[in-house]
Amino acid sequence: MKITKRAMLISTALRLLYLIATFGIGFIRTLNYTPDIISEADNVTMLQNEVTIGTTGSPLFYVFA
C-alpha cells in the first residue's frame, strides 16, 4: 500500500473515531442531564431592553475581496 493511501486511510479512521467519540460524549451527557429548576429560579438575569436598528454587509464580500 502506498504511503499516500495509508495516510488517507489513517486520517479517515481518526476523523471517524473523533466524530463517534464527540457524538457519544454528547449523547451520554444528554441522557444523564437533570435540570435543577429550584436553584435556577433564584439566579435571574435581566435581558437587554434596548434595540439597535441597522444593516450589515454580506460576509461574501470579505471572501471575494
Side-chain angles (χ1 to χ4, degrees), residues 27-48:
F27 187 73
I28 290 170
R29 285 183 180 177
T30 301
L31 287 178
N32 294 330
Y33 178 72
T34 54
D36 190 11
I37 298 173
I38 302 301
S39 68
E40 290 294 325
D42 295 334
N43 188 12
V44 177
T45 58
M46 297 300 292
L47 297 176
Q48 181 178 354

